[in-house]
Amino acid sequence: QIQLQESGPGLVKPSQTLSLTCTVSGDSITTTGYYWTWLRQPPGKGLEWIGAISSPGSTYFNPSLKSRASISRDTTKNQFTLQLKSVTPEDTAVYYCARETYPIGGTTWNDFDFRGQGTQVTVSS
């Protein structure tokens, strides 16, 4: 059974860098054909696709977040990590990691076959 689990701080100060890690079990993040994705859902709003890392390690980002977001991975730990710099209160959201296939950029849960339970991140001083 494939499981994804987000981890990271729940509170980040404005202008700092948000860092979240997704730990995957039951599948390797290098398995061909899959993309490992970060999404978020701000309070009262819909799902926003942030970016993804492919099985070979290429990264793809939402144009609106590309200047601030980066995704890296540690294949020895089967983890991938989101960093979002220069955060503001508008980055407050529940953050999710998930698995998707091509085409990427999904914005409904039907676009993903596995996802984590989500982690609340609040940006506040």
Side-chain angles (χ1 to χ4, degrees):
Q1 183 179 358
I2 297 172
Q3 294 184 321
L4 295 87
Q5 179 67 58
E6 306 89 351
S7 60
L11 180 64
V12 184
K13 295 185 185 302
S15 81
Q16 292 187 342
T17 296
L18 178 162
S19 183
L20 296 173
T21 294
C22 182
T23 302
V24 180
S25 59
D27 189 19
S28 170
I29 60 174
T30 62
T31 300
T32 301
Y34 293 108
Y35 297 79
W36 302 90
T37 298
W38 285 100
L39 309 105
R40 68 183 183 180
Q41 187 163 24
K45 297 185 179 180
L47 204 58
E48 180 178 32
W49 188 86
I50 299 172
I53 187 165
S54 68
S55 52
S58 298
T59 54
Y60 307 86
F61 296 99
N62 185 324
S64 68
L65 295 166
K66 187 175 182 178
S67 64
R68 297 195 293 128
S70 62
I71 298 176
S72 59
R73 67 179 185 176
D74 185 336
T75 58
T76 65
K77 297 180 179 178
N78 216 36
Q79 295 175 332
F80 60 106
T81 297
L82 168 71
Q83 289 199 318
L84 186 66
K85 61 184 181 183
S86 304
V87 297
T88 72
E90 285 65 43
D91 294 308
T92 294
V94 179
Y95 285 74
Y96 300 89
C97 58
R99 190 181 82 167
E100 65 180 330
T101 56
Y102 189 85
I104 59 175
T107 56
T108 70
W109 287 123
N110 288 337
D111 297 320
F112 306 91
D113 54 359
F114 294 96
R115 64 178 174 103
Q117 63 183 16
T119 186
Q120 173 71 46
V121 177
T122 301
V123 180
S124 175
S125 55

